[in-house]
Coordinates of all heavy atoms in Angstrom, one line a residue:
N26 N 57.9 42.0 81.4 CA 58.2 43.4 81.9 C 59.7 43.6 81.8 O 60.5 42.9 82.4 CB 57.7 43.8 83.2 CG 58.1 45.2 83.7 OD1 57.9 46.1 82.9 ND2 58.2 45.2 84.8
A28 N 61.0 46.8 82.6 CA 61.4 48.0 83.4 C 61.4 47.9 84.9 O 60.5 47.5 85.5 CB 60.4 49.1 82.9
Y29 N 62.4 48.4 85.6 CA 62.5 48.4 87.0 C 61.6 49.3 87.7 O 61.1 49.2 88.8 CB 63.9 48.8 87.5 CG 65.0 47.6 87.4 CD1 65.9 47.7 86.4 CD2 64.9 46.6 88.1 CE1 66.8 46.7 86.2 CE2 65.8 45.6 88.0 CZ 66.8 45.6 87.1 OH 67.7 44.7 86.9
V31 N 58.4 49.7 86.9 CA 57.2 49.1 87.0 C 57.0 47.8 87.7 O 57.9 46.9 87.7 CB 56.7 48.8 85.4 CG1 55.4 48.3 85.3 CG2 56.6 50.1 84.7
D32 N 55.9 47.6 88.6 CA 55.7 46.3 89.1 C 56.7 46.0 90.1 O 57.3 44.7 90.3 CB 55.4 45.2 88.1 CG 54.8 43.9 88.8 OD1 54.1 44.1 89.8 OD2 55.0 42.8 88.3
N33 N 57.4 46.9 90.7 CA 58.6 46.7 91.7 C 59.8 46.0 91.0 O 60.6 45.5 91.8 CB 58.1 46.1 92.9 CG 57.0 46.7 93.7 OD1 57.1 47.9 93.9 ND2 55.9 45.9 94.0
G34 N 59.8 46.0 89.7 CA 60.9 45.5 88.9 C 61.1 44.0 89.1 O 62.2 43.5 88.9
Q35 N 59.9 43.4 89.4 CA 60.1 41.9 89.6 C 60.6 41.2 88.3 O 60.0 41.4 87.2 CB 58.6 41.4 89.9 CG 58.3 41.6 91.4 CD 57.1 40.8 91.9 OE1 56.2 40.5 91.0 NE2 57.1 40.2 92.9
N36 N 61.5 40.4 88.4 CA 62.2 39.5 87.3 C 62.7 40.3 86.2 O 63.0 39.7 85.2 CB 61.1 38.6 86.8 CG 60.5 37.6 88.0 OD1 61.4 37.2 88.8 ND2 59.2 37.4 88.0
V37 N 62.8 41.7 86.4 CA 63.4 42.5 85.3 C 64.8 42.0 84.9 O 65.1 42.0 83.6 CB 63.2 43.9 85.6 CG1 64.2 44.7 84.6 CG2 61.9 44.5 85.6
K38 N 65.6 41.7 85.8 CA 67.0 41.4 85.6 C 67.1 40.1 84.8 O 67.8 39.9 83.8 CB 67.8 41.2 86.8 CG 69.3 40.9 86.7 CD 70.0 42.1 86.0 CE 71.5 41.9 86.0 NZ 72.1 42.0 87.2
E39 N 66.2 39.2 85.2 CA 66.2 37.9 84.4 C 65.8 38.0 82.9 O 66.2 37.5 82.0 CB 65.3 36.9 85.1 CG 65.8 36.4 86.4 CD 65.5 37.3 87.6 OE1 65.1 38.4 87.4 OE2 65.8 36.8 88.7
H40 N 64.7 38.9 82.8 CA 64.2 39.4 81.5 C 65.2 39.9 80.6 O 65.5 39.6 79.4 CB 63.0 40.0 81.6 CG 61.8 39.5 82.2 ND1 60.8 40.3 82.7 CD2 61.6 38.2 82.6 CE1 60.0 39.5 83.4 NE2 60.4 38.2 83.4

Side-chain angles (χ1 to χ4, degrees):
N26 175 42
Y29 283 112
V31 178
D32 195 27
N33 296 316
Q35 284 192 321
N36 301 317
V37 167
K38 185 64 174 288
E39 290 82 356
H40 299 161

